[in-house]
Amino acid sequence: MSFLYPAVLILIPALLWLLKRRPTRTSLTVASIQNWPKPEKGKARFLWIPIVLRKLAISLVLVSIAKPQAGTHFQAEIAEGIAIQMLVDVSSSMDMSATGFNGEVTTRMEIAKEMVERFIAGDGKDLQGRSEDLIGLITFARYADTRSPLTFGHDALLQIVRALEIQQRPNEDGTAYGDALAIAAARLKNIESFSPSFDPDAVKSRVIILLTDGENNSGTHLPIEAAGLAKTWNCRIYVVSLAESRSSLEQGIISDLSPAEMTLEHIARETGGIFRQAYDLESLLSVYSEIDRLERTQITTRSFERVADLYWLPLTGALMSIIAALILESSWLRVVP
């Protein structure tokens, strides 16, 4: 226990000393008390009790004014998470064939869904999962659509990822990742709207992961314009470009970039992210594993102290003491004025 104003406690012995030196008021002068009953045989032997109770009350009031406090030390793990917007291309070009695990032939859409699902939930090996992170999902073809806002409900998000389908309507086909980037950056900027009780300061970083295989040919926002918004709002963009074959990759080194990929590489570099190419599930896994390592939730242990004011305890004791003294003086230990 500690006191906020410990100097007040010095007044206690000084005040008690002054009360002791105060002359006792007498109501009757007698020549001798030799023949009076001995105090130890009557109520007079208890007359000191109200006096002590009053002094105790005064002392407790001063203790209360000194404001006693009790501090509790404890430690807590603080997770500084990451807000991630996953952007997935669902244009008709994602229906092209690609190689999955074990060499089976599938589509780009299927390996994209598989990879996004593993990135969110983890696979216990290459990817650790993002249980502490806010994750949202935006898909795009000719138009960008928010499939899931930023959420901690990853189970529901995984169901949405598994249900993704390629845009089959000709009038809605295209690639508008510029619009998708602009929407994602705006959502990350206004992250405080996620919940009234959510603390935006708990978000360590804001990340956009763009997965596409084409050139931006639709929408109202140019990719460079959207990247400028993301950079202004402190959002990093990681770009994964699905290449047509292994020949476009040389041991993980970017080579022979097309004009569309040059734009994607510029977007990533300008916002502090990275640009990578992938052609099948294995190479896509290595890219997402690299992003997973670069953007990890930081869990730190911090010490806190909770302080409780206890001034009411001595104040309650003082009140009880003075009440007890008054009761005794007006009843059992009542004396003639």
Side-chain angles (χ1 to χ4, degrees):
M1 180 183 292
S2 60
F3 293 89
L4 187 60
Y5 308 112
V8 178
L9 299 177
I10 302 175
L11 298 177
I12 295 177
L15 188 59
L16 293 178
W17 181 77
L18 289 175
L19 291 174
K20 184 177 181 180
R21 288 178 56 85
R22 189 180 65 175
T24 304
R25 180 173 60 91
T26 58
S27 60
L28 180 64
T29 302
V30 296
S32 174
I33 61 171
Q34 184 176 358
N35 296 323
W36 285 29
K38 298 296 183 181
E40 61 271 13
K41 295 183 179 180
K43 294 181 181 180
R45 60 184 178 179
F46 299 110
L47 290 177
W48 60 270
I49 295 179
I51 299 174
V52 172
L53 288 175
R54 288 177 180 274
K55 292 181 178 180
L56 177 62
I58 294 173
S59 300
L60 290 176
V61 168
L62 292 176
V63 171
S64 178
I65 294 174
K67 204 170 184 180
Q69 296 177 328
T72 302
H73 295 272
F74 63 96
Q75 292 183 333
E77 287 189 345
I78 306 299
E80 296 179 346
I82 301 170
I84 302 174
Q85 284 283 4
M86 308 286 294
L87 276 55
V88 180
D89 192 340
V90 294
S91 62
S92 60
S93 59
M94 293 292 286
D95 199 27
M96 294 180 63
S97 61
T99 305
F101 281 131
N102 301 322
E104 73 273 14
V105 178
T106 182
T107 64
R108 291 179 176 178
M109 186 75 252
E110 291 304 315
I111 67 171
K113 289 162 59 176
E114 172 74 15
M115 202 65 259
V116 171
E117 182 178 346
R118 289 189 180 205
F119 183 80
I120 296 171
D123 59 8
K125 183 181 177 183
D126 299 288
L127 298 168
Q128 302 302 314
R130 320 295 304 191
S131 59
E132 302 291 339
D133 299 331
L134 274 171
I135 302 179
L137 177 65
I138 297 174
T139 60
F140 59 91
R142 179 176 292 274
Y143 307 105
D145 299 311
T146 300
R147 297 301 183 95
S148 172
L150 290 166
T151 180
F152 285 118
H154 296 172
D155 290 339
L157 179 59
L158 291 174
Q159 295 295 328
I160 296 173
V161 172
R162 296 179 188 123
L164 291 180
E165 295 181 352
I166 293 173
Q167 181 55 255
Q168 300 290 353
R169 297 178 182 178
N171 62 329
E172 293 188 11
D173 193 20
T175 303
Y177 68 76
D179 285 357
L181 285 173
I183 294 173
R187 291 285 173 80
L188 292 173
K189 175 182 179 291
N190 299 315
I191 198 171
E192 61 273 4
S193 63
F194 167 71
S195 172
S197 60
F198 180 70
D199 181 12
D201 295 333
V203 177
K204 175 186 172 185
S205 61
R206 294 165 170 81
V207 173
I208 299 172
I209 302 177
L210 169 63
L211 174 65
T212 184
D213 68 345
E215 178 181 1
N216 188 84
N217 53 26
S218 304
T220 58
H221 293 278
L222 295 174
I224 301 300
E225 174 193 357
L229 293 174
K231 183 178 180 180
T232 301
W233 297 333
N234 297 318
C235 303
R236 280 191 296 277
I237 300 176
Y238 293 87
V239 180
V240 183
S241 175
L242 289 175
E244 293 184 2
S245 65
R246 182 189 295 267
S247 61
S248 61
L249 301 176
E250 289 182 3
Q251 297 178 353
I253 302 174
I254 300 173
S255 62
D256 300 329
L257 293 182
S258 66
E261 288 179 324
M262 288 181 182
T263 300
L264 292 170
E265 195 271 340
H266 174 77
I267 289 172
R269 185 181 66 253
E270 286 298 307
T271 59
I274 60 173
F275 170 81
R276 294 290 185 267
Q277 294 171 306
Y279 64 93
D280 61 3
L281 191 56
E282 290 285 357
S283 58
L284 196 59
L285 175 60
S286 66
V287 174
Y288 273 86
S289 297
E290 181 181 4
I291 298 173
D292 190 51
R293 291 190 300 270
L294 291 173
E295 296 289 349
R296 290 307 307 171
T297 297
Q298 180 179 351
I299 299 178
T300 58
T301 301
R302 298 181 183 175
S303 296
F304 298 89
E305 182 177 2
R306 183 183 290 114
V307 177
D309 289 325
L310 302 178
Y311 65 90
W312 57 273
L313 281 175
L315 197 60
T316 302
L319 182 62
M320 294 178 64
S321 297
I322 198 66
I323 290 175
L326 291 174
I327 292 175
L328 288 174
E329 290 178 342
S330 62
S331 57
W332 187 53
L333 296 179
R334 185 178 180 181
V335 298
V336 177

